[in-house]
Each structure stands twice: as structure tokens, then as C-alpha cells.
Amino acid sequence: MRDIDWRHQPEEKIVNLMANPFKAAASASASAAAGSSRGPPLPTPLVNLHMSPDAQLRQLMQSPSPTSATGTPAASSNDLDLSTILYYSRRSMYHSMGRWAEKGLSRRVSDPVLLFWKAVSVMYTGRPTESLRELQALQEKRELVLACPLAMELEAKLTITSSGANISDRASLHAAIFLWSVDSHDQARQYLKKIIDSSPNGGRSSTIDAMSSTLSVASSTASSPAGFANIVNAALAMMGWVDLTCGQENLVARSLTWFDRVLENNPRDLDALMGRLQFLRTLRKQHTPALDITAQIIAYHPGFIPAYIERVYVLLEMAAWEQVMEASQRLSSLSPDNIDSAAILIIQKAEPTNAQLFFELAQPVVRLAFRKDMYVLLAQLNITYGVSGSILSQADQLVAKAIELDSSCSEYKSEMGLIKLLQGKIDLAVEYYRAAASQNSQDLPALQGLIKCCIYQGKFEEAEEQLEFFDAVQAN
């Protein structure tokens, strides 16, 4: 299926495509296959381009439900609890992952998949004995006959095997999800390929729609055509996530194709929409289409908290300050203890040992502290004192905590060097940049920081030497 190049699309066409991007991709794919057939025309945009983001969101939530590539109403095959758990897993927020698993179990008592991910969260938060006990109790569950032994092997360094006979596609899917969560991308890809290859026509739209229409999704099981179609969709979406996060440039670029294939089958698929959002936001830096996706997800899945979280971050990256405040308040009202809507206030309680999270929260604060837009927003809120110093002080505390939790990470020390540089504390900035460079000689931000500090200190010969070294590192 042809990838849609968002970089070269007019803004109105981007919104049009984002309203139903899979139809545009399906049209191109069908034309290539049939030679003479032209796909369905692009639909009317679901949102008004000239509205504010919040007005667009309200309009989209009132729009009719989307349809699949064949025109039939699209049903959601996603498990909101599992999708939320995997979102927190992607962000290494294991305390939050465990809390959401427990929340899901309060509604779905004894659900084996939720119990499994609760055990995994226990494993990651430093309670191996408890985790093993919970995993052992689940290893006979049919959908976990692969995932449980894999998790137990990882935790206890044991060699635990499962019988190859009677392994269901659902078991292979859960094994792949777990392997992906522990960065075993190649193994995860093998399990997913098995599922996709076993489906007619490799999980293409027309075949999946035909299977899904056989039975209603509400009554489907893994052995029914509709149930198998849902598993194939989940495998395609997970294959997209595996490629997106594997670190290999050619596979990362291919990940969008997997998400588009899922959206041909089911326009509401949550994991595929989140994958497309991640791709556009982090790789292509296309915030307007990414914001539209958050609105779509919220409209289709109002109870999915990660969509509100991502909306806050997309608006923050767009410097849409008023909308950031509104989105944060909405997120806080839906999830009062959410760490992203009140990060500095509750981080110590929610994720007390997560160094990466402290670092990630500090980064946007540091980069926005001296922007003119920030002064305008704070003036509107009648905050007129010590703006830059106060904001950087908070960022300083977050990064200091990250360094305290993990002193081996050069990236944290480079960030502290930047904070000290912005605060005018050049000597301290040099100390942190040198510490980062000594830990990782190829830490480019640290080398750039040292060059800036040398220039500010008038040490031009040293700056020239550092610049030559920087060029050599960058060339390699």
C-alpha cells in the first residue's frame, strides 16, 4: 500500500486525509492492483480547519461513526485497558501500568491478560518473587501459554518451554506484545509474521472486511471469522509498533504502512491510530495532523486517557498555550492523579524511581522557558515574577533527580549543562558538559555545549579544538 507523504500535502488536504486517511491509501492500493479501478473519492473533512482545536474536537465527537473500506460500519476491536497498559509500557511508566491493570481488574475480575500485565509491572518495580508467583498461576491459560514462560524466563533466568502443539494465534499475539515490550523486536516480529501469513491475503482490507461481516464483533471469539479478523488487525498494528520502535531506519519508515493497512480494515482501531500519531508527531514533526488524530481517538474512544495525554503534548509542541491549559484541565478532571497534567506536583508520588520520566518532563520546560509566547501566557495569568529563573529552577530539580536516580546516563548531564548555561552559570555548565562527554565521547549535545561555553568564556582556541573534534565525531 502506498504511503501518504504528509510533508507535501496542502494543509486542507491534510485535514481531509486525516479525516479518513486509510481510504486514500486504499484507493491507491486498489488502483495499483487492478490497473483500471479507481478507489473511492476522498470524504468530506470531519473537522473545520478554521476552528480552534477544542471546537474541532467537539465537532468530531458529534460526527457519525466511521466506516470500513467496504462502507460497512466499523467496529472497535481494541481492548481499552490493554491499549492503555501498553501505552504506559512504551513510556516505561511501570507503576502507572500496574495501577491501570488493577483498575481494569476491578471491572473484569480474574481477566488473565490483565493479571499477566499486572505481574509484569510487579516484575519491573522490583518484586521478583511476587511476580513469579503470579505468572506461575497464569501459565496454563490458553492465551498466555507463550507469554508467561517468556516473562518467567526473563525474570528468573530460567529455561521454561511450552508445548508447540495447539498454540493459538491469540497466544502468539500476546507473546509478541510481551517480547516487543522488552525490546526483543526480531522475536516479536516472528510471532506476528506467523499470524499475518496465516490470514487470507495477508490481512488485506477486502478479506478482513468479509470475515468481519460474517459475525458481529460483539459476539465474536478467537475461533470465529470476526474474532480472527480482530487478531489479524491487532497483529498488523503491533507489527507497525515493532518496526516503529526497532531503531532501524528502513523499518521505522515502513511502520506507517502497517498502521494504514489496519485502518483500511477498521478506521477506529486504537493501536493503529496511536501508531500513526506517534509517527507523525515524533518522526515527521507534523503537529497539525497529529492533533487531528488525538481528536479522532477521543471521539471514537472517549475513555482512553492516553489520547488526552498526547493531546496535551502535541499542543505544547505547537506552543498553543491557551489550548495546553484547557487540555490539561480536561485531562486532570478525567484522571485527577495523572502525572502529565500536574507533573511537578505529583511525580514523586506516582513514579518515584523513574529517571527517564524526570528527564523527559524537564526537556520541554527548558526549551520553552525563554520563549516570548511563555511571557505572554504568564502575563495573561498575572504571573509577573521571576519567570525564567523560576521555570528553569523547576527543570533543574527534575534533571537533578534524574541524575540522582541514574548517574550513568550522559544525556541527563548534558541537559543539566544546558540548564546551567541558560541560567548564566557557565562554570557549572562546563562541569556537567565535561562529565557527559567523559561518559560518552559521542554525546553531540555535550560537545556542542562545551563549544558554546568556551566562546562565552572567550576561550576561542579551545573552542576551535572542540569544534574540530565535534566535526570528526559527527562525520563518524
Side-chain angles (χ1 to χ4, degrees), residues 181-259:
S181 76
V182 295
D183 296 329
S184 296
H185 295 91
D186 290 339
Q187 286 181 275
R189 195 176 283 110
Q190 290 174 13
Y191 281 109
L192 295 171
K193 188 174 185 299
K194 171 180 171 288
I195 299 171
I196 295 168
D197 288 348
S198 69
S199 66
N201 201 23
R204 294 293 178 183
S205 174
S206 59
T207 305
I208 297 295
D209 277 341
M211 293 163 61
S212 295
S213 64
T214 305
L215 292 171
S216 66
V217 173
S219 62
S220 66
T221 64
S223 59
S224 72
F228 181 63
N230 288 342
I231 292 174
V232 173
N233 274 343
L236 290 168
M238 185 50 57
M239 186 71 89
W241 278 106
V242 169
D243 283 353
L244 182 61
T245 56
C246 71
Q248 299 179 43
E249 188 173 343
N250 61 319
L251 296 178
V252 171
R254 186 184 71 176
S255 63
L256 193 62
T257 303
W258 294 110
F259 298 133

Side-chain angles (χ1 to χ4, degrees), residues 211-418:
M211 293 163 61
S212 295
S213 64
T214 305
L215 292 171
S216 66
V217 173
S219 62
S220 66
T221 64
S223 59
S224 72
F228 181 63
N230 288 342
I231 292 174
V232 173
N233 274 343
L236 290 168
M238 185 50 57
M239 186 71 89
W241 278 106
V242 169
D243 283 353
L244 182 61
T245 56
C246 71
Q248 299 179 43
E249 188 173 343
N250 61 319
L251 296 178
V252 171
R254 186 184 71 176
S255 63
L256 193 62
T257 303
W258 294 110
F259 298 133
D260 284 342
R261 283 177 63 179
V262 179
L263 294 172
E264 290 177 36
N265 302 333
N266 180 6
R268 297 178 62 170
D269 191 279
L270 185 51
D271 295 320
L273 286 169
M274 286 294 288
R276 176 176 274 281
L277 167 61
Q278 182 79 357
F279 186 94
L280 293 175
R281 178 193 160 198
T282 61
L283 295 180
R284 293 192 177 171
K285 308 297 182 185
Q286 294 182 353
H287 297 117
T288 298
L291 187 66
D292 290 337
I293 296 180
T294 66
Q296 286 183 306
I297 296 173
I298 291 170
Y300 303 156
H301 308 281
F304 186 60
I305 297 299
Y308 299 88
I309 297 173
E310 290 299 301
R311 188 171 181 83
V312 169
Y313 282 117
V314 173
L315 288 167
L316 184 64
E317 290 161 6
M318 295 173 71
W321 305 116
E322 292 183 7
Q323 284 77 26
V324 168
M325 298 296 288
E326 293 173 6
S328 297
Q329 289 170 359
R330 179 184 289 116
L331 173 58
S332 181
S333 68
L334 292 170
S335 180
D337 63 346
N338 183 268
I339 196 170
D340 299 276
S341 60
I344 295 174
L345 298 177
I346 68 171
I347 187 173
Q348 188 62 39
K349 177 181 177 183
E351 289 286 330
T353 60
N354 195 325
Q356 182 67 21
L357 182 59
F358 279 89
F359 170 70
E360 290 176 354
L361 288 169
Q363 278 191 305
V365 175
V366 174
R367 281 146 186 78
L368 297 171
F370 284 88
R371 291 190 57 143
K372 180 180 178 181
D373 306 44
M374 177 64 81
Y375 283 94
V376 172
L377 174 66
L378 292 169
Q380 291 173 346
L381 298 174
N382 294 321
I383 300 175
T384 57
Y385 54 89
V387 172
S388 297
S390 175
I391 292 171
L392 285 172
S393 175
Q394 296 292 338
D396 189 315
Q397 293 176 30
L398 291 170
V399 177
K401 183 66 175 178
I403 294 172
E404 177 186 338
L405 293 169
D406 183 6
S407 61
S408 65
C409 182
S410 65
E411 194 176 12
Y412 302 165
K413 294 177 181 177
S414 291
E415 191 70 10
M416 184 62 87
L418 175 59

